[in-house]
Amino acid sequence: MNREKIRITLQSWSSSFWSVPAFFFGISIVAFGLLTPNLGFYMDDWHFVYYAFTHGVDSLAALLLYDSRPYASWLYVVGFQLLGYKPIAWHLAVVFLRFMTSVMFWLFFRSYWKKNERFGFYVALLFLIFPFFLLQPMPVAYFIHWVGFFLYALSLYLMIKSFEVEENVKLLFIAGALLAEGTHLFSSEYFAGLELLRFLFLWLFISRNDESFFSMLKMAFLRYSPYLVIFSIYAYWRVIIFDGSSEGYRNQPVLLYQLLETPLNSIFSLLATALKDLIAIFFGSWGKTLEPSLFDLSSRFSSIVLIIMAFTFLVGVKYLDSFKRSEDGQKTSIWVQKESLILGLGGLVLGILPLWIVGKSITSHTNQMAATRFGLAAMFGAAILLISCIIFFVTDRKKQNLVIVFFVVLAIGLHLHNTRQYERSWEKQKNFYIQLAERIPALDENTALISSGEVLFYMGEDPTSYAINTIFYSGETDENNIPYWFSAIYASYYGKLDAFYGGMNLDEKHLVTQFHGNSHESLIFSYEPEQDQCLWVLRPEDAGLRLISELEREASQISAPNRIQTSAERKVLLPPDIFGLDVPKNWCLYYQRADLSRQRGNWQEITSLWEEAQASDKRPANGFEYIPFIEGYAHQNNWTQVKKLARQSNKISQGMYHILCPTLENLEEMTPVSSERDAVIAELYDYLRCE
């Protein structure tokens, strides 16, 4: 009896209006929200954060003008005022926007396909978790996109509801739809192509009436005309009037110019590009969900994800099987299948159309993960098309549910693994910034921080530069000139190493920001935590260190640690609004403080730090990180400890004699003569086989 009551209650709840938003919300949390507390800012997030944090949100107007979105700054003004600088707030916001967009599409299809409500539910569900767009964990950069997608969905919903409401409120619904259309168009170009899909929606909707073809066509154009006016104004402004900032127009309609000059070649080129991009979105998305690495049972995280997927599959199938609607006794009508096929193909093509117009494509992009943003708008059409295919090939309702939920859990698995990589990136970022701030209390302006290669994944040179300038913000900066820059030698200077070593000017520009420095006024550093290594600010004395690459050894000879303002004291380690107040007291924190104390000549502080670290059971995993402490104890005339630490250093890492021998030679010159000192140094020379 109890089981029967539970079944009836579940069926009653699943048939209610609010069960769908609740189910979508649960799927959103599982796919995108579980790791949210451990996520931060990445790539293009950082220039928004830097400008808003250092110059105020009003400064974003110039940034967005350069980005060809001059009317989008209001979104970020509102966003930063509401959400501040806490990453979790931004992540929750974009997850909520994605959830609300799917709900709005469901509401739209509820009215559009009234007699086949389940079909619209399937589409909205698949759209919610469609696995092509892999930049969801970049909350600030894609805040504007999810607002735009929501406004597009809202506009469609209000448009279709205007057919149902009474005449006295019809104009209000149309006005709301037009306002949502204009707002998303003038904020971002990403969903401009989908505006052309609006006519298809209206035409297919109106053509269901039993009237003449021309009568229905006329009615469709009349209904579409207000939206066409808004779109035409936008297109005229974008193509004819808008010429970008004084720095140049980044997204010119290249394809339109090419079609005018060489129409046949341009058409064939477009068809070839379109075919590859459409295949990448519709088929490639799901191929990624089946990569063997996602099902690695030796990985604890993968095992947990598989458990989550299995649980979600059971719950999803149970919910979809109990999802009762008025049309459930019927098969999906033929006209719905035909309409969905047309709309799916149309949405898939038109969703990417703005990208092709500006002369770009998904498959030719150098960074395939970054390129997934170009397929964001097309996910709507792809979801419609996929559901159309499933319904066509699988006619049994229960089997349809199994297939659709199977797709859902595959996408959830990919999203969780994808988010996990962002989580690791943020963890590495935070460790880097904390160590950087501990090692460098303040830094002379016009200083570049240079490593051999990229040190942070899901970042890049420009975003890392903005992050560094954010954490070193002193309260006064020039809006157009940035005081610090990060560069990777392999990416920026490898073809001109002689000039780089000789002292070349470093002039960098990104968006509206400029940096001017010199390679001889730079800090060379190494950061390889995967090799159990802390951040190492390299000195010319480290040129013999065999634990770093040959390129790093050569570059260390021009490193300028004197750019560090050692007398400065930082009151705040990192901006707490972004990073919080919790700073892990790990070994690298002790090392950075000791390395700074070495530069200051504060030897007593170094020995105190070593003793504190030992009391906390913290010790180095790399022999190089013993060096400041060896020097500290030597200057405190504790030669017993010098011998002990030197031997430990040599045991932990191979080839340490290359740096330990010069260190001992230097200590022999810089410390007071004593018999104990001479005996220890002689013993270590022999132990290390110093020449």
Side-chain angles (χ1 to χ4, degrees):
M1 187 63 181
N2 288 337
R3 182 176 296 180
E4 182 64 18
K5 283 185 178 180
I6 293 172
R7 188 188 66 79
I8 293 172
T9 301
L10 179 62
Q11 184 171 314
S12 174
W13 175 80
S14 64
S15 302
S16 70
F17 172 87
W18 292 105
S19 74
V20 174
F23 182 68
F24 283 2
F25 185 76
I27 294 295
S28 300
I29 294 299
V30 171
F32 309 110
L34 293 180
L35 300 178
T36 292
N38 303 323
L39 299 178
F41 296 134
Y42 314 87
M43 284 196 269
D44 288 349
D45 290 339
W46 273 111
H47 58 254
F48 289 107
V49 173
Y50 166 75
Y51 268 90
F53 187 81
T54 60
H55 302 298
V57 291
D58 292 339
S59 67
L60 294 174
L63 187 69
L64 287 159
L65 172 62
Y66 181 88
D67 205 31
S68 303
R69 294 168 186 156
Y71 301 118
S73 59
W74 71 273
L75 278 172
Y76 286 104
V77 170
V78 172
F80 279 106
Q81 287 177 344
L82 290 177
L83 305 173
Y85 298 91
K86 296 186 185 305
I88 189 172
W90 285 92
H91 282 283
L92 291 175
V94 293
V95 171
F96 182 73
L97 284 168
R98 186 167 186 158
F99 153 71
M100 285 302 300
T101 303
S102 66
V103 169
M104 199 55 61
F105 279 135
W106 168 67
L107 291 174
F108 164 69
F109 284 123
R110 254 181 119 237
S111 294
Y112 193 78
W113 287 318
K114 281 187 175 180
K115 294 182 179 180
N116 292 93
E117 184 182 340
R118 181 183 287 269
F119 193 95
F121 164 75
Y122 287 154
V123 170
L125 174 61
L126 216 55
F127 164 79
L128 173 62
I129 50 77
F130 205 88
F132 184 76
F133 179 65
L134 299 179
L135 306 177
Q136 178 75 22
M138 295 183 191
V140 184
Y142 293 97
F143 178 73
I144 184 176
H145 299 74
W146 283 112
V147 170
F149 222 154
F150 170 75
L151 290 172
Y152 173 73
L154 175 63
S155 179
L156 287 183
Y157 171 67
L158 293 174
M159 176 190 75
I160 210 67
K161 289 297 287 185
S162 69
F163 285 87
E164 302 177 6
V165 297
E166 297 178 0
E167 289 296 325
N168 59 339
V169 294
K170 188 183 294 291
L171 287 178
L172 287 176
F173 277 78
I174 294 174
L178 292 172
L179 178 62
E181 178 194 18
T183 304
H184 89 72
L185 280 174
F186 282 93
S187 296
S188 170
E189 74 285 356
Y190 264 71
F191 309 103
L194 288 181
E195 277 302 322
L196 301 175
L197 189 66
R198 189 187 296 269
F199 178 75
L200 270 179
F201 275 119
L202 285 169
W203 163 248
L204 293 172
F205 187 75
I206 291 170
S207 64
R208 298 171 193 168
N209 299 325
D210 190 16
E211 298 182 25
S212 68
F213 174 82
F214 288 105
S215 174
M216 291 185 293
L217 186 63
K218 178 182 176 181
M219 187 181 300
F221 269 111
L222 283 173
R223 284 287 192 168
Y224 181 60
S225 58
Y227 306 99
L228 180 61
V229 169
I230 298 294
F231 180 76
S232 299
I233 293 172
Y234 163 76
Y236 182 79
W237 166 78
R238 183 76 182 189
V239 177
I240 306 299
I241 298 176
F242 181 67
D243 62 356
S245 70
S246 60
E247 303 296 332
Y249 186 179
R250 297 181 66 231
N251 292 311
Q252 297 188 51
V254 175
L255 178 63
L256 299 183
Y257 304 144
Q258 291 175 343
L259 286 171
L260 292 174
E261 294 174 3
T262 55
L264 286 178
N265 287 341
S266 299
I267 289 171
F268 282 120
S269 177
L270 175 60
L271 290 174
T273 296
L275 182 62
K276 289 186 287 187
D277 283 357
L278 295 177
I279 289 173
I281 293 174
F282 191 72
F283 295 103
S285 300
W286 299 103
K288 294 174 186 174
T289 66
L290 295 171
E291 289 183 3
S293 60
L294 303 183
F295 303 91
D296 180 13
L297 293 177
S298 64
S299 163
R300 182 182 177 187
F301 181 79
S302 296
S303 300
I304 293 173
V305 169
L306 287 172
I307 292 171
I308 292 171
M309 291 169 65
F311 179 76
T312 305
F313 182 82
L314 295 174
V315 171
V317 170
K318 189 69 176 176
Y319 175 73
L320 265 63
D321 283 347
S322 60
F323 183 90
K324 300 296 182 184
R325 291 297 185 266
S326 58
E327 87 284 356
D328 272 3
Q330 315 167 28
K331 286 188 176 181
T332 303
S333 59
I334 298 298
W335 58 265
V336 168
Q337 292 187 36
K338 289 181 178 179
E339 286 183 1
S340 64
L341 183 62
I342 295 169
L343 291 169
L345 286 170
L348 189 56
V349 171
L350 294 173
I352 324 176
L353 185 61
L355 176 70
W356 298 331
I357 288 177
V358 297
K360 299 177 182 177
S361 73
I362 293 172
T363 51
S364 65
H365 199 276
T366 53
N367 185 333
Q368 282 300 293
M369 172 169 279
T372 63
R373 70 187 187 274
F374 298 135
L376 179 60
M379 294 195 314
F380 179 47
I384 298 173
L385 185 59
L386 183 55
I387 292 299
S388 179
C389 293
I390 292 173
I391 297 297
F392 178 80
F393 289 107
V394 184
T395 56
D396 180 75
R397 182 62 48 81
K398 285 187 175 296
K399 291 179 180 178
Q400 287 173 2
N401 292 342
L402 288 171
V403 172
I404 290 166
V405 176
F406 181 69
F407 274 102
V408 168
V409 298
L410 284 179
I412 286 174
L414 179 64
H415 286 306
L416 285 171
H417 279 279
N418 181 56
T419 307
R420 174 62 171 160
Q421 296 307 309
Y422 283 92
E423 181 186 37
R424 288 172 173 165
S425 171
W426 185 238
E427 182 180 352
K428 188 175 183 180
Q429 278 192 72
K430 285 197 299 181
N431 284 331
F432 174 68
Y433 304 141
I434 289 170
Q435 292 184 58
L436 199 65
E438 285 284 358
R439 178 63 182 87
I440 306 172
L443 190 61
D444 290 346
E445 292 191 0
N446 303 318
T447 301
L449 291 91
I450 298 175
S451 67
S452 61
E454 294 281 4
V455 293
L456 302 170
F457 58 101
Y458 293 168
M459 286 290 284
E461 290 179 304
D462 302 328
T464 305
S465 299
Y466 287 116
I468 289 171
N469 280 275
T470 302
I471 68 174
F472 282 111
Y473 175 59
S474 61
E476 296 181 5
T477 54
D478 185 332
E479 189 167 332
N480 296 319
N481 290 293
I482 203 165
Y484 313 113
W485 199 259
F486 165 74
S487 292
I489 297 175
Y490 277 115
S492 300
Y493 312 120
Y494 196 71
K496 41 191 171 184
L497 286 179
D498 289 340
F500 178 73
Y501 294 144
M504 66 182 289
N505 289 331
L506 307 180
D507 297 314
E508 304 288 348
K509 189 177 187 312
H510 183 255
L511 299 175
V512 294
T513 301
Q514 299 179 64
F515 168 80
H516 303 287
N518 188 279
S519 59
H520 279 186
E521 296 175 345
S522 304
L523 284 181
I524 311 297
F525 70 90
S526 176
Y527 182 57
E528 297 286 346
E530 296 83 1
Q531 306 298 323
D532 294 322
Q533 172 192 320
C534 299
L535 168 70
W536 297 345
V537 174
L538 300 177
R539 310 167 299 160
E541 298 96 306
D542 299 325
L545 181 61
R546 292 298 185 266
L547 299 177
I548 55 178
S549 68
E550 182 179 351
L551 184 61
E552 288 172 314
R553 292 197 296 272
E554 292 176 354
S556 68
Q557 297 179 66
I558 65 166
S559 187
N562 60 308
R563 306 285 293 176
I564 299 172
Q565 299 173 10
T566 56
S567 60
E569 293 288 347
R570 295 202 71 188
K571 294 181 180 178
V572 179
L573 179 64
L574 294 175
D577 288 347
I578 300 174
F579 297 96
L581 297 172
D582 182 27
V583 178
K585 210 165 187 180
N586 53 28
W587 161 253
C588 288
L589 209 65
Y590 289 106
Y591 171 75
Q592 301 305 339
R593 291 174 179 175
D595 202 27
L596 176 60
S597 295
R598 172 173 63 171
Q599 190 172 353
R600 287 171 169 166
N602 190 341
W603 310 112
Q604 177 62 50
E605 175 70 15
I606 293 177
T607 56
S608 297
L609 284 167
W610 177 263
E611 290 165 9
E612 184 182 338
Q614 297 309 292
S616 302
D617 198 28
K618 303 291 191 302
R619 52 182 52 84
N622 193 294
F624 180 69
E625 291 161 17
Y626 281 88
I627 301 297
F629 301 99
I630 291 171
E631 294 184 5
Y633 277 108
H635 283 279
Q636 292 290 302
N637 294 314
N638 188 338
W639 292 99
T640 301
Q641 190 72 345
V642 168
K643 180 170 67 173
K644 178 181 177 183
L645 295 184
R647 285 178 171 271
Q648 289 177 352
S649 170
N650 191 58
K651 286 179 181 178
I652 284 182
S653 301
Q654 293 182 351
M656 279 303 298
Y657 67 91
H658 288 289
I659 192 69
L660 283 172
C661 293
T663 298
L664 291 172
E665 290 175 11
N666 183 58
L667 291 176
E668 194 171 16
E669 294 178 6
M670 302 297 296
T671 55
V673 176
S674 70
S675 57
E676 183 184 13
R677 185 202 72 167
D678 293 343
V680 168
I681 289 179
E683 182 180 338
L684 289 174
Y685 276 160
D686 183 59
Y687 169 71
L688 296 168
R689 298 181 180 178
C690 298
E691 295 180 0

